[in-house]
């Protein structure tokens, strides 16, 4: 079946503008995660949604970052007043969360460049 | 938080050679995954292996959870194996987010 999809694949914006990044998880997956990957580095956790529970926002780097999820489907990550240090690839993942099994599958990412 | 260390950071192999990549972690985990990030940036799932041994073609992995390490074996390497290999773990009783190691950058030369 279809994997995790993200849009746009690339986004170039000017410093100070707001951006919205979209993630469509694998159908039926109840858990959705956002991560960030800076150039040449590993991934950093940002935020996690599980069903109707309150999201785990512990990885968000500042209050300029927020995310929403509609039910168990699409999620949007919003970055307000973008800064150059926000330039990175933003990756979304989803998992089925079946008992203790929670293998995460990643989308292709959105490459954000803040000029 | 949990620390995840991968070694070696860089590895150059001649096509056909075998290699072992290591992942050490500092606390007990309930999930461990190995990924291959290809040159286009896509993360490809290799193994979901919180414990035990698994094999998939030329790749195999072993996790010894009690000793807090995992190994990824690549046999008969091919140029298409080039890229970055990441180990990532979910710490016990600490949410469900993955904590990633710094990766091993592999280059396989023809």
């Amino acid at each position: 079946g279809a994997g995790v999809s993200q849009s746009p694949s690339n986004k170039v914006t000017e410093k100070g503008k707001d951006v919205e990044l979209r993630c469509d998880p694998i159908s039926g997956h109840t858990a959705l995660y956002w991560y960030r990957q800076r150039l040449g580095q590993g991934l950093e956790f940002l935020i996690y949604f599980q069903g109707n529970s309150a999201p785990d926002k512990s990885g968000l780097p500042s209050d300029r970052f927020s995310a929403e999820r509609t039910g168990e489907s699409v999620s949007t990550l919003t970055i307000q007043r973008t800064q150059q240090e926000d330039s990175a690839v933003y990756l979304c993942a989803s998992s089925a969360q079946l008992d203790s099994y929670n293998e995460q599958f990643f989308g292709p990412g959105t490459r954000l460049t803040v000029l | 938080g949990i620390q995840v260390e991968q070694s070696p950071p860089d590895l150059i192999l001649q096509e056909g050679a075998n290699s072992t990549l290591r992942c050490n972690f500092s606390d007990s985990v309930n999930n461990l995954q190995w990924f291959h990030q290809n040159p286009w940036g896509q993360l490809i799932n290799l193994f979901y292996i919180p414990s035990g041994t698994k094999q998939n073609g030329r790749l195999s992995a072993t996790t010894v959870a009690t000793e807090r390490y995992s190994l990824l074996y690549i046999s008969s390497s091919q140029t298409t194996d080039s890229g970055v290999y990441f180990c990532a773990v979910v710490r016990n009783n600490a949410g469900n987010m993955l904590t990633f190691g710094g990766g091993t950058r592999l280059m396989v030369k023809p």
Side-chain angles (χ1 to χ4, degrees):
Chain A
V4 178
S5 61
Q6 293 186 243
S7 60
S9 55
N10 282 284
K11 176 72 177 178
V12 180
T13 190
E14 294 180 347
K15 178 181 173 181
K17 296 284 180 75
D18 297 353
V19 296
E20 283 190 356
L21 313 179
R22 176 186 169 108
C23 171
D24 283 88
I26 293 171
S27 177
H29 278 191
T30 58
L32 186 148
Y33 313 77
W34 284 98
Y35 295 84
R36 175 172 73 177
Q37 186 176 28
R38 290 194 165 119
L39 187 64
Q41 299 185 19
L43 279 72
E44 309 167 79
F45 164 75
L46 296 177
I47 187 169
Y48 157 61
F49 296 88
Q50 169 57 36
N52 294 320
S53 302
D56 180 340
K57 304 179 182 180
S58 60
L60 294 179
S62 80
D63 59 8
R64 296 186 295 104
F65 287 71
S66 63
E68 294 183 347
R69 187 180 186 193
T70 308
E72 293 186 349
S73 60
V74 173
S75 175
T76 301
L77 177 69
T78 301
I79 308 174
Q80 296 178 309
R81 305 181 302 281
T82 52
Q83 304 294 312
Q84 289 183 333
E85 65 259 28
D86 299 334
S87 295
V89 177
Y90 290 82
L91 292 119
C92 175
S94 69
S95 69
Q97 292 291 134
L98 298 173
D99 295 325
S100 62
Y101 174 79
N102 60 344
E103 183 176 6
Q104 295 183 30
F105 296 86
F106 282 79
T110 294
R111 182 175 299 277
L112 175 66
T113 303
V114 182
L115 301 177
Chain B
I2 190 168
Q3 306 300 312
V4 183
E5 295 183 355
Q6 292 186 242
S7 60
D10 296 280
L11 185 60
I12 300 174
L13 297 175
Q14 205 65 39
E15 196 169 28
N18 303 328
S19 63
T20 301
L21 281 58
R22 187 176 180 102
C23 173
N24 291 334
F25 41 96
S26 61
D27 206 340
S28 58
V29 300
N30 58 33
N31 177 10
L32 188 146
Q33 291 185 243
W34 282 98
F35 298 92
H36 175 214
Q37 189 166 43
N38 66 22
W40 296 270
Q42 177 70 51
L43 275 171
I44 299 165
N45 288 39
L46 297 178
F47 294 101
Y48 173 82
I49 187 166
S51 64
T53 297
K54 291 186 177 179
Q55 179 154 9
N56 184 3
R58 296 181 296 103
L59 303 182
S60 63
T62 295
T63 297
V64 184
T66 52
E67 297 187 19
R68 299 182 182 170
Y69 72 89
S70 183
L71 302 173
L72 177 69
Y73 306 95
I74 305 175
S75 65
S76 304
S77 58
Q78 300 176 358
T79 56
T80 52
D81 295 333
S82 297
V84 183
Y85 289 79
F86 286 107
C87 167
V89 303
V90 173
R91 185 180 167 198
N92 275 350
N93 303 315
N96 290 287
M97 70 288 290
L98 287 168
T99 299
F100 281 75
T104 292
R105 185 174 300 275
L106 173 65
M107 179 183 296
V108 180
K109 293 186 171 181

